[in-house]
Every structure is written in C-alpha cells, then in structure tokens.
Amino acid sequence: MHIENPILWSDYPDPDLIRVGDAYYMVSTTMFFMPGGPILKSYDLVHWELVSYIFDRIEGYDTVGAGYGRGQWATSLRTYNGRFFAFFTCLDLKKSFLYSTDDLEKSNWTRIDFEGMYHDASLLFDGKGAYLIYQPGGAGDVRLVEWEADMSGFRPGTDRFLLSPPSEGMALRCEGCRALYKDGWYYLFFIDIPRGGI
C-alpha cells in the first residue's frame, strides 16, 4: 500500500485511538464547533470515515466562533466493561465531562458533568480498577484519581500526586497525557517542547 502524508486533509488535533476487533476508532478535538467530539473509523489506519459525534451541543456555547481555546479539548477514548467512555475538559467553562455509550457509531451518549479542571486527562483501565490521569494546572505536575466501580464519579480520598517532570530547559513541560496498560506494564505518553524549539 502506498501512503502519503497528510493522511487526513483536515484539522484533527489531539487524537486518541482505540482498537475494537478489526476496526480502529479515533476521536479528535473540535473546540467550540458543534456537533463535537468526532468519531472516525478505519480498518487500516489510513482510510478513515466519520461515523458519529459524541455530543450535539454543550450548554454555554450559543455563539459559534467565540474564539480558539473554547470548548472540548483532548478527549480520552477507551472501552471498559462493554461500554465506550470519552472524557474531556472545557477550559473556559471550568468543567469536565464523562460520556458513555454501548455503541459509539450511534451517537447515543449519556453524560456526567464534573466541576473543575482535569486538563489533558486520560482514562486508564488495568483490569483491577479505573483511573483518570490528569494535570490540574495545565502542563506540568501529573495526578491520578480512581473512579467509582460504576464510573459515576471519583472515589473519595484517592486523588494523589503521580509525578513531576523536570522543567529545566523546557518551553512546554509534560502535556497531553495518553495512558495505556498492556501485558502488566503502564505506559504514559506526554508532549515536551524544549526551549528553542524541537
């Protein structure tokens, strides 16, 4: 197969991908544009089709074009106990959202609202529990909190410090977490940008 970049001739920032059977699903940031949280599907990671959106609208965004930086950002997409979960933060609303569905191609998501910022968060399931890894103040320190077993909210007393990456020589320090668990290992992926550029 001959592949050329860009694979997608459009703006799909902050992607997160999962594999379900022989299909791949990807979610992306749409910011203040509605509907939001596009779900794309592929069988080869090259050819993609748009199959649904996570939400039609979020209350508080009645004016389209209100400015870059508003709305839905860096959604984490995962499967857990036969359901699909998507978590993201709206920076300007100072709120976070957990959506879930049993069929991510049908756009029939339910929603739980959370007050507060869980910046660039990543859902993590390891077979023993459910967690959210996030950065409370944007780039920098990383924290972990456990979900209740039914994913209805966070377990009290479980929010704890995880790590603090070095800041020396960095223009952007540890942002955009993606967390995975596979074969007994935990993988945390972040973005770092040194001073002076890459």
Side-chain angles (χ1 to χ4, degrees):
M1 178 189 318
H2 177 73
I3 301 170
E4 293 183 4
N5 283 319
I7 292 173
L8 293 169
W9 288 84
S10 189
D11 184 17
Y12 287 100
D14 307 318
D16 200 9
L17 286 86
I18 58 174
R19 183 175 180 178
V20 182
D22 59 353
Y24 298 92
Y25 292 96
M26 179 176 74
V27 66
S28 180
T29 291
T30 48
M31 293 171 272
F32 55 85
F33 293 107
M34 309 289 167
I39 301 292
L40 291 87
K41 182 179 183 180
S42 174
Y43 290 98
D44 59 7
L45 297 175
V46 176
H47 302 92
W48 293 89
E49 64 172 324
L50 180 63
V51 294
S52 69
Y53 289 93
I54 295 173
F55 58 90
D56 290 326
R57 64 184 299 271
I58 296 176
E59 297 78 7
Y61 296 103
D62 298 324
T63 305
V64 174
Y68 189 86
R70 298 194 60 182
Q72 168 254 2
W73 281 86
T75 300
S76 176
L77 180 66
R78 296 288 181 269
T79 58
Y80 178 62
N81 287 345
R83 289 185 67 79
F84 297 93
F85 289 90
F87 186 94
F88 63 86
T89 290
C90 288
L91 305 179
D92 51 321
L93 292 181
K94 304 291 188 277
K95 293 180 72 172
S96 301
F97 303 93
L98 177 70
Y99 283 80
S100 67
T101 183
D102 58 3
D103 187 344
L104 80 172
E105 293 191 34
K106 299 296 184 187
S107 297
N108 57 334
W109 297 77
T110 59
R111 183 179 99 187
I112 302 174
D113 296 15
F114 297 87
E115 294 297 329
M117 302 288 292
Y118 295 87
H119 181 74
D120 279 0
S122 182
L123 295 163
L124 176 66
F125 305 108
D126 64 0
K128 296 174 284 188
Y131 312 92
L132 186 75
I133 295 175
Y134 71 99
Q135 296 169 277
D141 291 350
V142 181
R143 298 188 67 84
L144 177 145
V145 63
E146 294 182 40
W147 290 97
E148 296 283 6
D150 62 0
M151 299 293 291
S152 61
F154 300 120
R155 289 182 56 202
T158 63
D159 193 311
R160 57 192 181 271
F161 173 81
L162 190 61
L163 63 95
S164 183
S167 59
E168 185 176 349
M170 302 306 296
L172 178 67
R173 178 175 67 117
C174 195
E175 189 183 49
C177 179
R178 291 293 181 242
L180 299 170
Y181 175 81
K182 183 172 175 58
D183 299 330
W185 288 85
Y186 295 89
Y187 298 88
L188 302 179
F189 301 91
F190 297 97
I191 299 166
D192 281 329
I193 299 178
R195 288 197 184 96
I198 300 174

